[in-house]
Structures are given as C-alpha cells and as structure tokens.
Amino acid sequence: MSLSVTTRRMGLLRKTVTGQQIYATLPTMCTTASSGPTSCPAHEIINTSAAKPFDTIPGPGGIYNLPIVGFLFHMKPFGKYTTSTMNYLFDEMIQRYGPIFKIRTNFPTVVITDPKDLAAMLRQEGKYPFRPNFDIFEVYYRRTGCRPNVAALQGPEWWQIRSPMQKALLRPKEISKYLPLMNEVADEFVQLVSDGYLEENEAEQSFMTYMAESAGAAIFNRRLGFLEKKQSEEAKKMQKAAFDIFDLTHKSMVGTFNSYRFFRSKKYKIFESSVDHLRDKTMQFVKEVQKDIEEKKNLGIFNSDEPNMLLSFLKVCSEEDASLIMEGLYFASIDSSASILQVALTSLAKNPDKQERLREEIHAVLGRADSNKDNTVTQEHLDKMPYLKACVKEVYRCWGTVLIGPVRILPVDAVLGGYHIPAGVQIYNYNARACRDETVFENPYSYEPERWLRENKRRGSNDAGSSSSIKEDDDSSWAVLPFGVGPRSCPGRRLFEQELYLLLVKLLQKTRVGMKPESMDVGFEYRLFLKSVKPLKFTITPLDLDTKEH
C-alpha cells in the first residue's frame, strides 16, 4: 500500500512508498553538546521493507482523530484527564497500545518511549534538526511581525545564530567567568532563606525570583533587583508574565486552547502582552549593557576581556543576533530552572541521608561556611564535587522534569519501534516514562544519586552530570536528557546548571533543608515543566543551631 506524505511545515513535498529503500544522507551524531552540526555525511540505506506500515501504528481512533478538536475528547469534561495529568493519559496509551503509538494533538503525532528509538530518531535528524516550535508562538510572530528568537528558528537561519552561542555558552571555562557575580546573588538568596524568606513567600515563586536574578547577573552583567526585600512592581509583573506564557503555551500545545489560531481571544491577548513585556524588558537590559560599554570606552577604562556575555556575542555575531540570543536565554531561565531547583530540594529534603552525604562532600571541598573567610565557589570547587552532579542528574531522572522531549520532525524516513515513520511526521519522545522504566533503571522510583557515580555505574551509564557523551548501547544515557542532545540541545544548559549547583552548595554548606509535614506527600504535575500540585513548605535550619551537626 502506498503512503503519501505532504509536509508543508518543513517546506518539503515528497512521496514515500512503504517498503522502498530510501537513501538518506545523515550527519555523524554529535558526541558533545557543543560540537554542532558536522560536515561529515555518511550514506546509510534505511531499509523499510521489513518495517510495519505507518498506518498500522496503534492509537485511539474515531472522534479522537478529528483535526484540532480530537485531543479535547481525552480531557475533562469529555474524558478524565487535564492538561496537567497528560502523563497518566500517555501511561494508559502505553498499556493499551504498547511503547509506540499515534495520537492527534495539534498535528498527527507519533509518541515513542524506548530510549533506543530516541537514539535512532536523533541519528537521523540531519544537519539542521527540525524541532517544531510551539504553534502559539508561530501565531505570535506572524501577527506581530517580530523576528523569532533562536529557539523558534529553523535551518541555516537557526544555525547562523546558534553557532556563535557554542563557545560562549557550552564551554565550562567560558561560563565560569560569571561565577563571581552569581556567587553574590547566591549568597544574598541564602541569607534571605536563612532569615525566613521561604516561610513568608511561596517556594516556587521564591526560586523563580532567585533564577531570574542569577541569570540576569550572568546574561546582563548587572543586578536586576529581584531579591530586594520589597520587590518592585516591575519584578512582580515580569514573573506574572512568565507564568502566563508558560501556562498558555502548555494548554495550546496539548490542544485545550485553540481559539488563538482564529482570532485574538482574551487568553491570547494575555499571552501576547506577556511576551511583549518580557521582550521589551530584555531588550531594555541589552541596551543598558551596551550603554555601559560605550561609557567605559569613552572613559578609557573599557576591558574587552571582562566577563560580559554581550561582548562575547558581539565578537562573533551582529548586534541584532546578540540581542536575540540574550533574549532567548533570559526568557528560558525564568521558569524552567526554578522548577528543577524545587524538585531538587524536595528530593534532598525527603532523603536526608543523601543530603548529609552531599553536605559532607561540600564541607570536604569548601569547609564550613565562615563569615571571616572568602566563601566564593569556583569552577575548581565544583569540579571536585561528583556527588553534587550525581544528585542533580538523579533529580532529572527520578522526577522526569520534562514530560515530552526531544520533539523532532525528521527530513528522512525512519524505522522506530519496528514501524516505518515517513519524513515529516511529528515525533514526541515521552521522556518521563523512560526515566522510570524498570528495564532501564534498577529501583526506578527510588532517589539514588549513587547510580551515576563512576564507581557505581550501572548498565554502562555515563559520568555523573554529563548528558553529552552518549553511548549507542546505553539506554540510561538516552533516557535522561532534560536539555536534549546534539546541535539542538539547550544552549543555556551549563549556565542553568551552574546556577543550580551554586545555590545547592551555598545552601547546604550552612543550613539543613527539610519539609513541613503537610508538604511531605504533596504531588507534582506536568504543565510545561514539572510543578507541585500545591505550594510546598520547606524548613531551613542553620547548621550552627542544629544539634545534629555537633
């Protein structure tokens, strides 16, 4: 049977015949997140003759396959799921249909769960991997005429902006240049926490505040004022805008908010004004950095080697491209990193033995916090903390911090799960499922950072904290990829992880983190990122007041 596939979203128009041998030019898979697309193509014959036809991939049919509205029938009030419980919907699909199935979201989509299929998909993504942008952002860019940031671009235009980011963002030595100012932010936040900040403010909102200030310090080389005791109305407005963007993006992604496609609905207007506000603010920050540079030049005190991210980008790209890069970085840092920080502290609070082992490592490297000495954390210090990185990587695995990812549309035909997947089909990787798969991980529901330590490697897993050196036969490495892998991996990964490492070190060096009884059993749910069902309450005890430490 012939299967014709028209793919206008990729600018392709092609026909694929089931059973035909397709010759594709594939790039060698990048082994590091910083290497980018290679120019070393390898001709590989993809023999689809033995693969089962695309039409036979199982999945819900009938009304569930209707364009635009089909997915709504899985959701309340028609079904039993919500946008925050899609993981349970996907789990039910797996039980019913197996590890690969088709669903209808905004577009016909294949969902994969096997890490081996993810590896096969990424090895065929081509020189310029096509990662579908969120449809609501596509509508926003079309209506406003704004130039998309780097995450929304495709093809050579994407690589033109992405390539300058490699050296500035994906090399530890480059990112470590921003540690001094980030230390200052972390010290201030830990002091606020020690003084009861988390008792007075919602934890997730507090972590978002820290990440916004810390990322701003690194990206814009300045303090933005988010940690001031009386937070400005502007800071609150930025955080509210970020929340609305991520919330409405998630709802549009799963198909429960579709009206924006046809007219500027009330919810869409909230989305548009929120994006406008964050873009305007980040551009304001960029202009302020540019003004500072010019003033220093005029005064003859300008140092071209100072740790200034805008300077790093201006050396390799245009001013407009540099602004787009910084806008995208800051935009991404506000919510996603705060989500990871919250689940990291939850894991350590619920597993005090792991927290104590991590604290022992911190004290062995840095000593106890002392107001009479320099407590600055350097890259050399972080390099000596493998258990810290193992704890964070186990957070990625144990919690499955993102529900879906990576998402791709391949330029060539593929065979996934034994089925022929034509070029142009949208593919979701159900990442959270693989992270808790008993065939991949022993004791998958237990928080065990030790599984990532070199001396305790299981099933050939890679070094703790690294998701860039990928082994083809290592399912555990392919399962835990919160920032993606290869040329389209998250460019801000090292910056965000540096923020996370720094705060965990500073906080645990001088305090003990626990949870109030009413928060011990609070669950989490997936929106765009993992969120607690209701606000969490942490307890923070300074070590000098903790008798357990003596």
Side-chain angles (χ1 to χ4, degrees), residues 99-133:
I100 181 170
F101 57 90
K102 283 191 297 190
I103 57 170
R104 179 80 190 216
T105 56
N106 284 341
F107 304 96
T109 301
V110 171
V111 179
I112 59 174
T113 61
D114 189 334
K116 290 185 175 65
D117 284 336
L118 172 61
M121 179 188 81
L122 293 178
R123 280 191 165 84
Q124 298 179 50
E125 61 183 1
K127 183 177 181 181
Y128 303 119
F130 189 97
R131 183 181 64 189
N133 190 25

Side-chain angles (χ1 to χ4, degrees), residues 423-460:
V425 171
Q426 181 167 261
I427 305 169
Y428 281 178
N429 173 53
Y430 180 17
N431 179 78
R433 176 76 176 198
C435 287
R436 304 184 189 115
D437 190 334
E438 292 182 350
T439 67
V440 179
F441 297 101
E442 299 173 15
N443 305 317
Y445 291 94
S446 296
Y447 180 72
E448 299 180 9
E450 291 77 9
R451 76 175 80 237
W452 300 109
L453 296 177
R454 184 182 297 275
E455 63 268 25
N456 292 324
K457 281 186 179 183
R458 299 177 183 177
R459 307 182 194 275

Side-chain angles (χ1 to χ4, degrees), residues 40-314:
C40 305
H43 291 279
E44 180 178 333
I45 299 176
I46 303 175
N47 190 341
T48 63
S49 61
K52 289 173 280 189
F54 178 79
D55 288 347
T56 64
I57 298 176
I63 59 173
Y64 299 108
N65 263 335
L66 291 175
I68 301 178
V69 298
F71 198 79
L72 292 175
F73 291 104
H74 294 291
M75 301 291 162
K76 292 182 178 179
F78 310 105
K80 59 182 179 180
Y81 301 103
T82 68
T83 57
S84 300
T85 59
M86 277 184 58
N87 53 312
Y88 298 120
L89 169 62
F90 281 6
D91 287 341
E92 180 186 311
M93 297 281 186
I94 292 169
Q95 291 179 354
R96 184 176 300 178
Y97 303 115
I100 181 170
F101 57 90
K102 283 191 297 190
I103 57 170
R104 179 80 190 216
T105 56
N106 284 341
F107 304 96
T109 301
V110 171
V111 179
I112 59 174
T113 61
D114 189 334
K116 290 185 175 65
D117 284 336
L118 172 61
M121 179 188 81
L122 293 178
R123 280 191 165 84
Q124 298 179 50
E125 61 183 1
K127 183 177 181 181
Y128 303 119
F130 189 97
R131 183 181 64 189
N133 190 25
F134 295 114
D135 187 62
I136 192 170
F137 273 96
E138 296 284 2
V139 172
Y140 168 83
Y141 292 132
R142 185 172 67 248
R143 285 178 178 162
T144 63
C146 293
R147 186 181 177 191
N149 65 37
V150 64
L153 296 173
Q154 308 290 351
E157 185 182 9
W158 158 75
W159 184 241
Q160 175 187 338
I161 298 180
R162 172 60 192 246
S163 57
M165 302 171 71
Q166 303 296 86
K167 180 180 178 180
L169 292 175
L170 293 173
R171 295 182 182 179
K173 182 179 179 180
E174 294 296 318
I175 290 298
S176 66
K177 294 191 301 186
Y178 309 110
L179 271 171
L181 193 52
M182 294 173 76
N183 265 273
E184 179 184 308
V185 175
D187 284 334
E188 186 174 321
F189 185 73
V190 170
Q191 187 59 53
L192 287 172
V193 168
S194 300
D195 293 342
Y197 186 78
L198 288 183
E199 301 287 334
E200 302 169 4
N201 299 275
E202 185 178 323
E204 184 177 347
Q205 192 75 11
S206 300
F207 298 143
M208 189 182 295
T209 298
Y210 163 72
M211 289 297 183
E213 183 72 13
S214 182
I219 296 169
F220 304 115
N221 198 33
R222 64 185 53 238
R223 297 296 302 272
L224 301 181
F226 281 98
L227 296 183
E228 294 176 0
K229 288 190 176 180
K230 187 175 182 180
Q231 194 181 68
S232 69
E233 289 302 314
E234 187 53 54
K236 294 178 181 177
K237 188 175 180 181
M238 285 184 68
Q239 290 181 323
K240 176 64 165 58
F243 174 83
D244 287 338
I245 290 168
F246 288 115
D247 179 58
L248 293 172
T249 297
H250 174 65
K251 290 175 179 176
S252 71
M253 182 181 73
V254 300
T256 58
F257 167 42
N258 287 307
S259 58
Y260 68 89
R261 294 181 179 181
F262 311 107
F263 61 95
R264 297 178 72 253
S265 62
K266 182 178 179 180
K267 286 184 179 180
Y268 174 78
K269 289 178 181 178
I270 293 174
F271 174 85
E272 186 176 282
S273 64
S274 297
V275 176
D276 284 344
H277 183 69
L278 284 188
R279 295 194 79 161
D280 288 344
K281 292 302 296 182
T282 53
M283 286 304 298
Q284 175 189 323
F285 297 148
V286 169
K287 289 178 180 178
E288 289 174 358
V289 175
Q290 292 171 322
K291 182 180 178 181
D292 286 348
I293 293 173
E294 290 303 316
E295 288 178 352
K296 288 179 179 180
K297 286 181 178 179
N298 293 334
L299 293 172
I301 58 174
F302 174 68
N303 178 7
S304 61
D305 294 324
E306 71 176 40
N308 187 306
M309 196 171 289
L310 179 61
L311 279 177
S312 298
F313 292 136
L314 289 177

